[in-house]
Amino acid sequence: MKQHQLQDRIECKVAETAIILYSDAYSQLMKEADMSNWLYRIGVYSVQNRKKTVLMWLAVVVSMVGLNQTIGGGAVDDFTVPGTESQAAIEVLDERFPERSGATAMVVFHTESGSVSDSEFAGGIQATVAEIQDLDEVLKVTDPLASQRSISQDGATAFAAVQFVDSTADLGRDTLDRLLETASPARDAGVQVEYGGELPILLKERSTGPAEAIGIIAALIILFVTFRSVRAMAMPLVTAIIGLITGLSIVGLLGGLIDIPSVAPHLGTMIGLGVGIDYALFVLSRHRDNLANGMEMDESIGQTNATAGQAVVIAGGTVVVAILGLQMAGIPFVAALGYSASIVVAIAVMVAISLLPALLGFSGTKILSKQAAKSIGPEQEKKHSAWVRWAHWVAYHPWSTSLAATAVLLVLAIPVLDMRLGQADAGTDPLSTSHRRAYDLLADGFGDGFNGPLLVTVDLVDVDEPKAVAGQIHQSLLDQPGVAAASPPELNSTEDTALITVIPTTKPQDEATSDLVHLLRDEALPASIGESGAEAYVGGPTASFIDQSDKISSRLPWFIGAVVVVSVLLLMIVFRSILVPLKAAILNLLSIGAAYGVVVAVFQWGWGRSLIGLEEAVPIASFVPMMMFAILFGLSMDYEVFILSRIREEYHAGHSNIDSVVEGLGATAKVITAAALIMISVFLGFVASDDPVVKMMGVGLATAVAVDATIVRMVLVPSTMALIGDPNWWLPSWLDRILPHLDIEGEAHLVNKDEPNDKFLTEGSAERG
């Protein structure tokens, strides 16, 4: 165990260093390149060469899709957790007991009347078992009628245990399909046949239902209401879909090199569709404003790319850095989710700053609504919209609004204190699936714990009397509270390794099962082994998921700390301020805490679970909090960069702190609201999925975006900006010299055209001081 803890610390430091290196590379890119000029040139080139740009992107999309179809890898659910006891058990079995190291499955036979051993049913059952044994991937299958241990007390249910040659990750979906085809003989005899256990559960088909359609329809409605133009409505959606197809194809190509989980494309779709539309919306909104103010099209697109486009690059870069931080989990499965999501986000950024400007060039002024097109001309006096009046009221009542908003977030976050990480078992899946029906039949016939056996692997290499020691351990296991049964020790041919199957009294997802695993490891097994020289490891899928939860729980604080520090540094570079980044980090933590609280209340406590199609309360999937934090902390920076860049723009234009807050919020509130509504619609669409994990992500992400775009951005940001005042933009001169300089408003590009020596942006804060 000490070796495992040392390995954990080393992996954590390596991953933390990797995040810092990503951040350094990102900052160096911004430092070495004049971002606003660079993006301006990309925008102008794209619009002036729009046909070539569009054809180039079409070639990229077709190439990526084609390559993915030919050499891309399929989804592989490899839940290996390096440095844990369950992984050590797998390694011992692989080395010394390979015939028991492969994947397993349970084939369940059930009759509504009579007994499965009756002659009218027995023949069909035996024929199905024979077909299973003939499968090339099957090493061994037990006879369900040969022993009373495999038949329920009422005789209505029996099971056959299937042992495969390879692991689940190596077998794939084809093996499961061939296994399912063996049911015919028994079913023809009137026997219900269901398939459960490790292989069917891990290789189950994951469907998001109508999620994508719901998100797209909602996005179309919101975009049309926002822009009152069919072209403006379609543009963000088209670019988002192109980016999503490209990104997912690259993820498929990555699957040829590493194992990509089956849930990755669903999460990638959820995130890619949301950020793709949002990024395009930010760019499109600024371009429409420029056109409406009479700016020439090419210049408008160039300046839009230099301002809104740069905000998209910074926000997207922050999302990518945060998501890549999932490497800190030290779990390949979770890291692969991070790689997949970061690829999709990165492609969405590229599409927004290159393909979108080209498409905007084709649209010309038709991107405006009819009313806006009729009134094109120099910028008029700003109208005091409802958003401006709201921002004015909040800015002049900062204490009451900030305290009330903070209280709401803290109340929503209260359930976090009871968060329990785990893994939802097959009992939460739809009844339409075979593995769920198998789960219910086994639980009814043999007890709840039968669906989550623990495999105790005993290393007997240094033991003089292996059989006696294995027997002693077996007896100790039978005496433990929470153990319903334990199979006699099964020794390998050299008698240096034994395997004991332990059946808990509780479900795999129950907290009592996790407590049992820790009891066996910390007390029962060490006591029974004594000075014999044996070593025992508690493994199996159930123990592996428990180890995954424990490892992520131990890494989560480090991960949160690293992402927060990196994000604060990036925002410090962007806004030339100390207090603004620190405040942004605190507010983001509050909104994410509120989202965690809602997820715990709905899924773990079961509040309103029937509204989202969840039959029973489930623990929070172990990787969901870490994944949610990475995505949400990054996404919240989208709105943060967008709104604060406009506030800073107003501030450097000579307005007072409060006026800057009011005008900045008023100018961005409409777009932020539309972007948030689209993101919420996309995320909520995934609640229709049958998979509890996908539901969990949908509810959590939708809640966080809703909280962030309303309570945080529309109340806490303006109120705290008003409370702090001019010190919002204070930065020590020595730190200003060290940090790379960014022109988030794009003013440097405009100034450089006429006055190359202007230092307004770099000295604005100092002049105010």
Side-chain angles (χ1 to χ4, degrees):
M1 292 302 292
K2 290 182 179 179
Q3 183 179 0
H4 295 160
Q5 292 171 357
L6 177 61
Q7 182 176 346
D8 280 356
R9 287 196 293 270
I10 293 173
E11 289 176 355
C12 193
K13 286 296 182 183
V14 170
E16 187 175 358
T17 303
I19 296 176
I20 294 173
L21 290 176
Y22 289 135
S23 176
D24 287 346
Y26 180 46
S27 299
Q28 191 65 24
L29 172 64
M30 295 189 293
K31 182 177 181 179
E32 293 177 354
D34 184 339
M35 286 287 286
S36 61
N37 281 333
W38 180 61
L39 288 168
Y40 177 88
R41 290 194 294 268
I42 289 177
V44 173
Y45 175 87
S46 296
V47 69
Q48 292 179 348
N49 299 272
R50 40 188 175 271
K51 290 184 179 179
K52 185 185 297 184
T53 302
V54 171
L55 289 175
M56 181 198 72
W57 267 105
L58 288 176
V60 169
V61 174
V62 172
S63 300
M64 292 300 102
V65 172
L67 286 172
N68 182 38
Q69 293 295 322
T70 53
I71 62 175
V76 177
D77 286 319
D78 184 3
F79 296 103
T80 300
V81 187
T84 60
E85 187 167 320
S86 57
Q87 183 60 31
I90 292 173
E91 292 168 358
V92 171
L93 291 176
D94 282 341
E95 180 182 353
R96 302 191 207 141
F97 213 160
E99 58 269 29
R100 291 304 309 271
S101 64
T104 60
M106 301 290 280
V107 183
V108 185
F109 304 95
H110 178 73
T111 61
E112 292 296 335
S113 60
S115 171
V116 289
S117 57
D118 292 345
S119 58
E120 60 180 306
F121 304 125
I125 293 174
Q126 295 291 359
T128 289
V129 171
E131 287 193 15
I132 295 173
Q133 185 64 70
D134 289 339
L135 295 176
D136 294 336
E137 303 90 342
V138 172
L139 181 66
K140 179 183 178 183
V141 57
T142 62
D143 185 346
L145 307 179
S147 171
Q148 285 299 316
R149 287 187 300 178
S150 58
I151 302 176
S152 62
Q153 290 185 352
D154 61 5
T157 305
F159 68 87
V162 183
Q163 179 71 55
F164 292 93
V165 175
D166 296 315
S167 67
T168 302
D170 296 327
L171 291 173
R173 178 73 197 184
D174 291 342
T175 300
L176 178 57
D177 291 339
R178 285 191 287 274
L179 177 65
L180 298 178
E181 292 171 358
T182 62
S184 297
R187 286 177 179 165
D188 291 343
V191 179
Q192 179 184 353
V193 183
E194 306 296 349
Y195 297 85
E198 179 185 359
L199 188 81
I201 292 174
L202 296 184
L203 296 183
K204 64 183 178 181
E205 291 185 347
R206 298 180 185 272
S207 171
T208 56
E212 292 87 350
I214 292 173
I216 290 173
I217 293 172
L220 287 173
I221 295 172
I222 295 166
L223 287 170
F224 183 76
V225 171
T226 302
F227 293 129
R228 304 290 180 176
S229 165
V230 174
R231 288 176 184 255
M233 172 189 73
M235 199 79 70
L237 195 59
V238 169
T239 53
I241 292 175
I242 290 173
L244 183 60
I245 292 173
T246 306
L248 292 179
S249 296
I250 296 174
V251 170
L253 289 173
L254 181 64
L257 302 175
I258 64 173
D259 292 338
I260 298 295
S262 60
V263 74
H266 302 308
L267 293 179
T269 301
M270 185 190 304
I271 298 163
L273 197 58
V275 300
I277 295 174
D278 268 19
Y279 293 162
L281 182 61
F282 294 155
V283 173
L284 176 60
S285 176
R286 179 61 71 96
H287 173 58
R288 280 167 52 93
D289 289 345
N290 290 341
L291 287 181
N293 292 328
M295 190 177 293
E296 187 270 332
M297 186 182 68
D298 289 11
E299 181 65 16
S300 171
I301 291 175
Q303 287 194 28
T304 296
N305 236 28
T307 53
Q310 186 169 207
V312 166
V313 171
I314 293 167
T318 306
V319 174
V320 169
V321 170
I323 293 176
L324 286 175
L326 290 171
Q327 292 179 85
M328 291 191 69
I331 300 173
F333 167 81
V334 177
L337 290 177
Y339 300 145
S340 303
S342 62
I343 287 172
V344 173
V345 173
I347 296 297
V349 171
M350 290 187 225
V351 169
I353 63 173
S354 58
L355 176 60
L356 181 57
L359 295 177
L360 291 174
F362 282 112
S363 296
T365 57
K366 292 180 181 179
I367 202 72
L368 298 173
S369 65
K370 291 181 180 180
Q371 181 179 357
K374 291 178 181 178
S375 58
I376 291 177
E379 186 173 2
Q380 304 296 319
E381 183 179 350
K382 294 179 182 178
K383 297 180 180 179
H384 290 287
S385 66
W387 288 115
V388 171
R389 292 193 294 273
W390 166 258
H392 184 274
W393 186 84
V394 171
Y396 281 93
H397 299 82
W399 280 110
S400 58
T401 52
S402 60
L403 289 175
T406 302
V408 171
L409 293 180
L410 290 175
V411 169
L412 289 175
I414 287 175
V416 172
L417 301 175
D418 190 41
M419 179 184 286
R420 181 175 72 85
L421 300 185
Q423 186 69 28
D425 56 37
T428 61
D429 286 333
L431 285 168
S432 58
T433 59
S434 182
H435 61 268
R436 167 61 193 276
R437 294 192 294 269
Y439 178 98
D440 290 342
L441 290 173
L442 290 174
D444 292 341
F446 302 93
D448 289 336
F450 202 82
N451 286 290
L454 307 175
L455 304 180
V456 178
T457 301
V458 185
D459 183 350
L460 300 168
V461 171
D462 298 324
V463 176
D464 295 331
E465 299 181 7
K467 289 185 178 179
V469 171
Q472 179 179 323
I473 294 173
H474 173 249
Q475 185 57 50
S476 173
L477 291 172
L478 289 172
D479 295 337
Q480 299 306 315
V483 173
S487 67
E490 180 182 354
L491 276 69
N492 63 348
S493 57
T494 57
E495 296 189 350
D496 61 1
T497 305
L499 184 65
I500 303 172
T501 301
V502 176
I503 306 299
T505 57
T506 50
K507 298 178 182 179
Q509 70 178 23
D510 286 351
E511 187 173 6
T513 304
S514 178
D515 294 339
L516 174 62
V517 169
H518 292 114
L519 172 68
L520 296 181
R521 289 173 173 173
D522 299 337
E523 300 178 22
L525 289 173
S528 62
I529 288 171
E531 302 296 328
S532 65
E535 290 187 52
Y537 308 96
V538 180
T542 300
S544 180
F545 283 123
I546 291 171
D547 285 342
Q548 185 183 99
S549 301
D550 291 345
K551 188 164 188 174
I552 289 177
S553 295
S554 65
R555 296 289 182 89
L556 191 58
W558 291 93
F559 167 73
I560 291 175
V563 171
V564 169
V565 168
V566 170
S567 298
V568 166
L569 290 175
L570 291 178
L571 287 182
M572 198 178 294
I573 293 170
V574 173
F575 293 115
R576 321 304 299 172
S577 164
I578 290 179
L579 295 179
V580 166
L582 290 175
K583 178 172 61 65
I586 293 171
L587 295 183
N588 288 343
L589 289 173
L590 281 173
S591 64
I592 293 172
Y596 280 176
V598 171
V599 168
V600 171
V602 173
F603 289 88
Q604 187 176 313
W605 292 358
W607 291 5
R609 68 175 187 272
S610 60
L611 299 176
I612 60 171
L614 195 66
E615 294 186 13
E616 62 176 283
V618 297
I620 307 305
S622 56
F623 64 89
V624 164
M626 186 173 277
M627 190 77 184
M628 275 181 60
F629 185 88
I631 296 169
L632 294 174
F633 202 88
L635 289 181
S636 63
M637 292 301 174
D638 292 358
Y639 304 139
E640 189 77 24
V641 169
F642 193 65
I643 190 173
L644 288 180
S645 62
R646 289 300 292 265
I647 292 175
R648 184 172 182 261
E649 199 172 327
E650 297 290 339
Y651 187 74
H652 281 302
H655 295 101
S656 68
N657 177 70
I658 289 183
D659 288 343
S660 300
V661 171
V662 171
E663 295 297 338
L665 184 62
T668 57
K670 181 180 179 180
V671 176
I672 287 179
T673 302
L677 286 174
I678 291 171
M679 194 84 79
I680 292 167
S681 301
V682 170
F683 292 154
L684 285 180
F686 284 84
V687 176
S689 170
D690 292 332
D691 192 329
V693 174
V694 177
K695 285 181 184 289
M696 213 173 283
M697 292 293 293
V699 170
L701 293 175
T703 301
V705 171
V707 167
D708 193 77
T710 54
I711 299 176
V712 174
R713 303 300 153 211
M714 299 305 168
V715 180
L716 283 174
V717 166
S719 63
T720 54
M721 293 287 287
L723 281 172
I724 296 173
D726 287 339
N728 276 309
W729 308 108
W730 173 75
L731 185 71
S733 56
W734 63 268
L735 187 56
D736 184 61
R737 290 191 297 269
I738 296 174
L739 294 176
H741 284 258
L742 269 181
D743 171 27
I744 190 62
E745 293 91 14
E747 294 293 335
H749 164 74
L750 299 177
V751 169
N752 287 339
K753 293 170 64 178
D754 302 313
E755 301 178 39
N757 295 322
D758 191 285
K759 298 181 180 179
F760 174 73
L761 287 178
T762 58
E763 297 180 357
S765 298
E767 290 172 0
R768 290 182 180 276

